[in-house]
Each structure stands twice: as C-alpha cells, then as structure tokens.
Amino acid sequence: MVLLKGYRRSTSCLLTLLASHLLTAYAQSFRPLTVFGASSVFIENKAMYITGGTREGTVANQTFSLDLSSPWTAAAPNFTELENNRAPMDYQIPSALDKDQTRWFIVSGKESYFYDIPRKEWNRRDALANLYNVTATFLQATVDPVSNSLLIPNGFETTTSTSIDSSMMQYDIVRGTTRSISMEGGPINRYAASVVWSTYLNKLVTFGGGLANETFGLVHTYGSSSGWNEMRTANAGPSPRAYHCAVVANDGKKMVVFGGRTLHSITFLGDIYVLDLETWAWSAGTPLNSGLNRSSIACGASGDYFVSWGGLDQNRRVVASNYTLLFNIKTMSWTDSFVPPPSLPEEKKSK
C-alpha cells in the first residue's frame, strides 16, 4: 500500500512536469503573423510587447511578446502569444508604457486602451474627443514619467472655421483628461516621426518625420520647463526620413535610429545610427544589405542590443519571415544572437 501511494505521487509529479514542458514548448512554438505598422513597447531584460499591424489590407488580431530575458537567435526568436480579447485592432498608432511599466497604453480611433502586463489583459479606458487622426498620420507617443502623462506631438486637433491645427496632446492616464501643448519651436505638423523619452535628459526627443512629400532629419527636444528646441548635433547623422524606428538605450543616454523611408521617391532605408545624448554626436553602424531595408517596423532595446521585427521591405511588401534583426550597440555591428546580461545576485538587485 505504501508503494502504491509512492507510485501515485511519482506519477503525479511526472504528469505535472510533462504538462509544464508541453506548455513551454507551445509558448516557444508560437509564430506571429508578420505585419507592418505594429505597435510595440519594451521592458529591458524582460520582454518586448507587440500588437496589431496590418498586411494585405487586413489588420492582424494578435498580441504577443518577444523574450528579452534569455538567449535566442535571429532566426529563432522566442515569442509568446498573449491574450488579445478587447485589444484595439489597428495599425500605425501611438503607444507607450506608463512610468511603472505595468500598463501599456494605446490610442486608437478616439479612444485609449491599455494592456495590464501583470494581469495579462486588455482594457478600454477613455474617450479622447480632440485626438487627431493618428492612424493616417502615423503619430507616435511617449510617457513623461514625472507627470505619468502620454505625450503625442501633433496629436491634439483644434478645428476653426478656416483650418485644422494640431498641437501636442498631453493625456493624463491617471485622471483620464487631456490638454493641448503648443508645438511652437518644435516639429509642427510632422507625421511619421519617432518619439522617445530620455531619462538622462528628462525630456522628450523626436527625430525626422514628414510634411507633404518632404522628409526631415532634425532632432527636437521638449521639456515641461524648457519647451520645444531644435538641437544642433556635433556631426551629420541619418538622412531625412519618416516611418523609421527609434529607441533609447544605455539609461537614456543614447538614441538608436533605424530604417524608414523617404517620401518623395519612396526609398526604403537600412542604415542605423546612434546619437549620444551627452555629446550630441552621431555614430553610424554597419549598414544592412539592401535586401534587409525596413520601414514601419516594431523595435526595442535591452542591454547592448537593438531589436527590430516586421515591417515593409524595399519592395513595399511585408517582411516574409519572423527573422528578427539584432544590432549590438556596443560593437556597432549586426549580429545573429541575442544574449541578455548576467542576472544580478538578489542582494545586489535590492541595492
């Protein structure tokens, strides 16, 4: 009888272990539909989160994460499918993490939504009556961690009897209220520009963007006390572009700019630059082969790596495979492997 009980315990443990392995294998076997214009955010050493996007005129009904805590290769990235019920099915829309990195806010149509990362669920939040047409203009957003507000340059629409003007929308994600902030001195009416927040500068930083058929290659910053300013860089950087991707890295001291395209001749780009936000000097990375040029991509950063997924290629087609581009910010070169930094001992994490 004792042997039988031991046998049952062993069988139960074995089944539990087997179920765990099956769930892990299922999560790792998930392969998302490749799209362009997906919304993405990232938490360093944890995950990059991606939702929406479109291909062949259909918006993708998917939300998933890319692991940033364990090693993987560019040909076999570690994706995990996430709950997608009530998610805003849209593309080329603003999104950003709140200051606690627990809620991922997305603006779609005239409403806001958020993905609760700990609870792994989507929620509809507030109506935003003065929101500009963000999908048509591919406006981007970031969060000011001081006020915990979503900032969308050119995202606040003011309609008069003679014109439609845009200013920056400040959306208080705690109170659910919005207000208009002047774009004077900033990239007025630019669309498809990148928008990031530098904790080192404690400012919003934008690059590029388009107006009509003209693209720009200027850097602007915005701070609550300093307002908008056009920044003079120490040297020449990326050529004018729109629909590119930019992220901050190295504790907000560097901004990585990758890909995008011009508007007048529709030239897709595959170059990558890093802007040092301490010296305002640009550094050029090793360019990609022309076959890997990208526009309207999802991207993130963790440790020494810049990560890029999806997008349109130089033939204006959605990238066919889930091959994920990896750039080592330290060596300034492309690589085929993602290797997270070693985990800190618990006693050091708490310091």
Side-chain angles (χ1 to χ4, degrees), residues 34 42 100 122 192 309 323 341 349:
T34 54
F42 65 95
D100 298 322
W122 282 101
W309 175 87
Y323 186 91
K349 286 183 181 179

Side-chain angles (χ1 to χ4, degrees), residues 36-281:
F36 76 91
S39 296
S40 64
V41 293
F42 65 95
I43 301 175
E44 284 207 60
N45 304 318
K46 183 177 180 179
M48 177 172 158
Y49 298 90
I50 303 170
T51 192
T54 183
R55 64 178 297 150
E56 299 176 358
T58 301
V59 177
N61 184 19
Q62 62 182 9
T63 301
F64 59 96
S65 64
L66 174 59
D67 184 21
L68 298 178
S69 65
S70 61
W72 44 267
T73 64
N78 189 4
F79 297 111
T80 299
E81 186 175 16
L82 300 175
E83 188 273 330
N84 198 57
N85 187 32
R86 299 192 302 275
M89 289 181 60
D90 212 334
Y91 67 103
Q92 298 187 164
I93 53 176
S95 77
L97 285 170
D98 69 354
K99 67 175 184 178
D100 298 322
Q101 297 189 322
T102 58
R103 294 185 299 172
W104 173 20
F105 276 83
I106 286 187
V107 173
S108 174
K110 296 282 186 179
E111 296 179 315
S112 68
Y113 300 77
F114 71 89
Y115 180 75
D116 189 314
I117 293 175
R119 295 186 177 184
K120 300 180 180 180
E121 63 181 21
W122 282 101
N123 297 273
R124 180 176 172 274
R125 183 62 192 273
D126 301 304
L128 305 175
N130 292 101
L131 184 68
Y132 202 75
N133 188 340
V134 292
T135 302
T137 51
F138 195 20
L139 298 183
Q140 298 297 289
T142 190
V143 160
D144 174 354
V146 177
S147 62
N148 207 15
S149 296
L150 198 72
L151 300 176
I152 310 175
N154 296 303
F156 194 100
E157 179 180 287
T158 303
T159 304
T160 67
S161 58
T162 57
S163 66
I164 298 177
D165 300 315
S166 64
S167 53
M168 182 161 70
M169 174 174 280
Q170 181 182 41
Y171 166 42
D172 188 320
I173 59 180
V174 176
R175 297 181 177 88
T177 57
T178 63
R179 75 182 186 98
S180 170
I181 297 177
S182 172
M183 292 288 299
E184 183 178 356
I188 299 174
N189 294 329
R190 306 280 168 81
Y191 64 92
S194 57
V195 179
V196 300
W197 184 271
S198 166
T199 52
Y200 170 71
L201 297 175
N202 198 30
K203 291 180 180 180
L204 175 154
V205 185
T206 73
F207 173 76
L211 178 61
N213 287 323
E214 184 179 2
T215 40
F216 298 85
L218 303 175
V219 178
H220 289 84
T221 63
Y222 170 82
S224 57
S225 58
S226 59
W228 285 99
N229 289 280
E230 181 183 328
M231 305 305 295
R232 291 188 177 181
T233 56
N235 57 335
S239 60
R241 67 194 60 207
Y243 298 98
H244 54 283
C245 191
V247 296
V248 286
N250 296 138
D251 299 319
K253 294 181 179 180
K254 296 184 185 296
M255 180 175 73
V256 184
V257 174
F258 168 63
R261 64 179 176 89
T262 61
L263 297 178
H264 59 282
S265 60
I266 315 297
T267 300
F268 283 73
L269 305 167
D271 52 355
I272 188 165
Y273 285 79
V274 177
L275 177 62
D276 189 317
L277 297 176
E278 294 182 275
T279 64
W280 294 98

